[in-house]
Amino acid sequence: MAAVVMPIHSYTWVFVVTLIFSLLDGYAIGANDVANSFATSVGSRSLTLKQAVCIAFFTEFGGAIALGATTTKTVKDGIIDIDLFNSRPDLLMTGFMCALIASATWVMTATYLGFPLSTTHSIIGALIGVGISAYGKDAVIWGWEGKGVAQIATSWVLAPCLAGILAAIIYLVTLFTVMKRRNSLRAGIWAVPFYFTITTFIVSFYVVSGNNRLGFRSEEGSISGNIGLAFGIIGAITFAVLIFSVGFLVPFFIRRLEKEESLKWYHVFCIHCLPEQPRDAKVDLHLKRAFTPQLLNDGEKTAFGMRVDEDIEESKEEGWEWERRKYMNPVVRLLQHVRWLLLRTWHIDIVSVQQANRGAVRAHEVAILYDNKTEYLYSLLQVVTASFASFSHGSNDVASALGPLAGVFQIWDSGTFTTNASVPYWMLASAGIAIDLGLALYGYNIMRNLGNNITYHSPSRGFSMELGAALAVITASFLALPVSTTQCIVGATVAVGLCNCNWRAINWGMVAIAGFGWVVTLPVAGTAAGLLYALLTRGPSFTLPPGMETA
């Protein structure tokens, strides 16, 4: 049936409501999906929550604006037959609106409950519910062909297993070539160029191969597009990192960790011009406080996250500061209270909060610890993998999440629709901002339920988890297999935890909660969207579709 053209700017209220819930969906993606991506870096103390938020602000927003897709599928992965709505574009607008309302509501609810889930699967489940509610079960692609529901169900097992195998291989190689060596620090320092080069190649390939602005795509088991340009970019980035790691990072780590000179991170850029610095006698203490705060100076285990004297002094100073604020101007005090309410989550120590979970504490007790100086080498690697994963999320996934909004905007603005809708820059920018706000204001809730709450995290473990998850996504895209980044990182976390050779190193209760969130996402989001669509379209009708007359 030929598509009916609807008068432009009809049902403006549907577009406005869809826009509002699209922003809420972006906020929920930041609080759940992006928080899940950074949970390993924060859990291993390679990053603080504040640092993770600052990095994500540039990577998510920058990825969306700089390399975000200019077009997106209005119906994600063609999960429902769009041609069924040819005669009623107004119902398609309503369906997209209901799908976003249901998806955003479920993801926010799951985030509040601490369930990590795939936000992509949530919007797909909502669209399935709309399709069934509108035209019955035949409107949905249930089988394997066409990326149907069967593929999504398969990903619940496939994604964590694939990522787990790859992450375990990376960690075991690291374990036996570096961490268990007699002089693990020297072995780790000279392994830095190799790790940085391989990591840069993988993550840059991950970003470039998934972006359609570069004219290069890796999907359905093949490569297409401007292959020369793509590999030229990947090769240039990789070679530059190799030169930098050999020429600057290796000498910096030798002086900072072996000679224990008092150096700051920015000294790496002028390491060859910097004269010998005084010895930092507290370097071991600083690293112990950063990576193993549960250990005293004599190596005895104590209550997890125990505060040392310096922290107590800082707490006293904070108390005096609050006492001083009592005598401030009331307006200034009010503004400071508002600022504290908005930014209070930035200062939460996620790792210390997790000590309340007995399952996590038991898992940490059986974990094998290694030299903190060697672990420090992997902190920067982990920051790199987390940043690239976030940038890729912003460049590749944000536009896909905007599919329903782009579809509604297209119908509202032109009166008709196509399967590929244009995505204006204001949509990409608003989605990027919403995602950053979600991570900054509520991302801590998911972070404290993942990372260290599943198994003990150290920089070497976290790096293996993140790189294994990224490799799983790349491998799956070439094999045309459906995977979720969220599911990949959880699978990688469990596999690396099992490398402790003790099943008690995993908090299985938290793993069960994560799996439950994956399984119920499709039916919950689908049922909510289907019921809402039925309520709006099959209830009492007070108006007729624009441009249509009564019989």
Side-chain angles (χ1 to χ4, degrees):
M1 181 184 297
V4 174
V5 178
M6 195 174 68
I8 62 172
H9 297 169
S10 300
Y11 298 111
T12 301
W13 71 271
V14 174
F15 168 61
V16 173
V17 172
T18 304
L19 175 61
I20 293 172
F21 277 91
S22 177
L23 295 176
L24 179 61
D25 195 43
Y27 181 92
I29 290 173
N32 196 300
D33 210 5
V34 180
N36 187 16
S37 299
F38 279 98
T40 52
S41 297
V42 175
S44 66
R45 296 183 182 267
S46 293
L47 289 173
T48 63
L49 179 56
K50 183 191 296 187
Q51 290 169 337
V53 170
C54 292
I55 290 174
F57 177 80
F58 292 101
T59 54
E60 290 285 338
F61 185 80
I65 295 298
L67 293 178
T70 54
T71 61
T72 184
K73 290 185 178 180
T74 53
V75 180
K76 178 66 178 172
D77 291 333
I79 204 73
I80 61 175
D81 187 358
I82 202 76
D83 293 334
L84 296 173
F85 291 91
N86 277 345
S87 61
R88 295 297 301 271
D90 56 319
L91 292 185
L92 183 59
M93 287 180 71
T94 305
F96 283 150
M97 179 186 70
C98 294
L100 269 176
I101 292 174
S103 176
T105 303
W106 166 239
V107 175
M108 281 303 303
T109 302
T111 303
Y112 174 77
L113 297 174
F115 294 166
L117 49 80
S118 170
T119 52
T120 301
H121 288 179
S122 179
I123 190 65
I124 289 177
L127 289 170
I128 289 173
V130 168
I132 294 175
S133 180
Y135 293 102
K137 63 182 181 62
D138 293 335
V140 179
I141 302 172
W142 296 100
W144 187 271
E145 304 247 343
K147 297 184 179 179
V149 178
Q151 283 200 10
I152 297 173
T154 302
S155 73
W156 296 336
V157 177
L158 176 68
C161 288
L162 179 61
I165 292 171
L166 293 171
I169 292 173
I170 294 170
Y171 181 65
L172 289 174
V173 170
T174 302
L175 196 63
F176 289 104
T177 59
V178 177
M179 307 304 295
K180 287 192 172 184
R181 296 284 293 274
R182 178 173 298 179
N183 189 348
S184 62
L185 178 58
R186 174 49 65 100
I189 289 175
W190 287 107
V192 162
F194 170 77
Y195 276 109
F196 263 92
T197 303
I198 295 298
T199 302
T200 302
F201 176 80
I202 290 173
V203 293
S204 59
F205 185 88
Y206 180 34
V207 172
V208 172
S209 65
N211 188 269
N212 62 2
R213 282 198 190 180
L214 299 175
F216 172 75
R217 300 289 295 179
S218 59
E219 56 185 8
E220 304 296 335
S222 62
I223 298 177
S224 60
N226 196 335
I227 300 175
L229 173 63
F231 277 96
I233 295 174
I234 296 170
I237 295 174
T238 303
F239 182 74
V241 169
L242 173 62
I243 297 300
F244 178 76
S245 58
V246 173
F248 293 88
L249 285 179
V250 169
F252 173 80
F253 286 135
I254 290 175
R255 293 179 60 176
R256 176 65 180 133
L257 300 177
E258 285 192 344
K259 298 180 180 180
E260 296 186 347
E261 293 184 33
S262 181
L263 299 175
K264 302 297 184 181
W265 65 268
Y266 48 81
H267 288 148
V268 68
F269 300 104
C270 57
I271 193 66
H272 296 290
C273 306
L274 195 68
E276 184 177 350
Q277 300 295 303
R279 181 175 177 272
D280 184 1
K282 293 185 177 181
V283 63
D284 287 322
L285 177 61
H286 293 326
L287 292 175
K288 187 171 291 186
R289 291 181 61 190
F291 301 135
T292 53
Q294 70 273 31
L295 301 180
L296 287 174
N297 291 335
D298 58 2
E300 180 184 350
K301 288 193 175 183
T302 64
F304 190 78
M306 184 175 181
R307 303 176 72 185
V308 298
D309 292 340
E310 292 180 21
D311 296 321
I312 296 174
E313 291 299 322
E314 289 176 4
S315 179
K316 290 180 180 178
E317 291 178 5
E318 290 174 2
W320 295 332
E321 178 67 16
W322 278 106
E323 186 70 22
R324 185 179 64 83
R325 290 179 184 179
K326 290 181 180 179
Y327 304 100
M328 285 183 175
N329 183 293
V331 176
V332 175
R333 192 164 68 243
L334 176 63
L335 292 175
Q336 289 189 341
H337 277 295
V338 172
R339 175 179 174 273
W340 178 82
L341 287 172
L342 291 176
L343 301 180
R344 70 189 189 281
T345 59
W346 286 41
H347 305 285
I348 293 177
D349 186 348
I350 298 296
V351 181
S352 295
V353 169
Q354 291 166 339
Q355 65 178 307
N357 189 305
R358 293 182 180 179
V361 173
R362 286 194 296 267
H364 295 173
E365 288 175 349
V366 300
I368 303 172
L369 305 182
Y370 298 99
D371 180 54
N372 282 329
K373 286 185 176 180
T374 309
E375 291 284 5
Y376 176 77
L377 297 172
Y378 292 91
S379 293
L380 185 56
L381 279 167
Q382 194 176 5
V383 173
V384 170
T385 53
S387 301
F388 269 92
S390 177
F391 187 86
S392 180
H393 183 274
S395 62
N396 301 325
D397 296 345
V398 168
S400 297
L402 289 172
L405 174 62
V408 169
F409 177 74
Q410 185 184 53
I411 297 172
W412 176 80
D413 192 49
S414 65
T416 186
F417 66 93
T418 61
T419 55
N420 289 292
S422 175
V423 181
Y425 275 107
W426 66 264
M427 282 191 191
L428 294 171
S430 61
I433 293 173
I435 288 173
D436 289 329
L437 288 176
L439 176 63
L441 301 180
Y442 204 45
Y444 73 93
N445 200 48
I446 286 293
M447 285 188 184
R448 67 184 179 184
N449 284 327
L450 293 176
N452 265 308
N453 213 14
I454 294 180
T455 189
Y456 175 74
H457 275 46
S458 64
S460 62
R461 290 176 170 93
F463 159 72
S464 302
M465 295 168 191
E466 291 177 354
L467 190 59
L471 269 174
V473 173
I474 296 172
T475 304
S477 66
F478 273 102
L479 299 177
L481 298 174
V483 295
S484 163
T485 305
T486 299
Q487 294 165 356
C488 285
I489 195 65
V490 172
T493 301
V494 172
V496 171
L498 289 175
C499 290
N500 287 290
C501 299
N502 192 328
W503 65 271
R504 292 185 180 87
I506 305 297
N507 180 5
W508 294 106
M510 192 60 237
V511 175
I513 291 174
F516 176 78
W518 301 343
V519 173
V520 301
T521 291
L522 247 65
V524 169
T527 301
L531 290 175
L532 182 59
Y533 180 85
L535 180 66
L536 292 178
T537 59
R538 290 184 173 82
S541 178
F542 301 104
T543 61
L544 291 171
M548 300 183 68
E549 299 178 353
T550 58

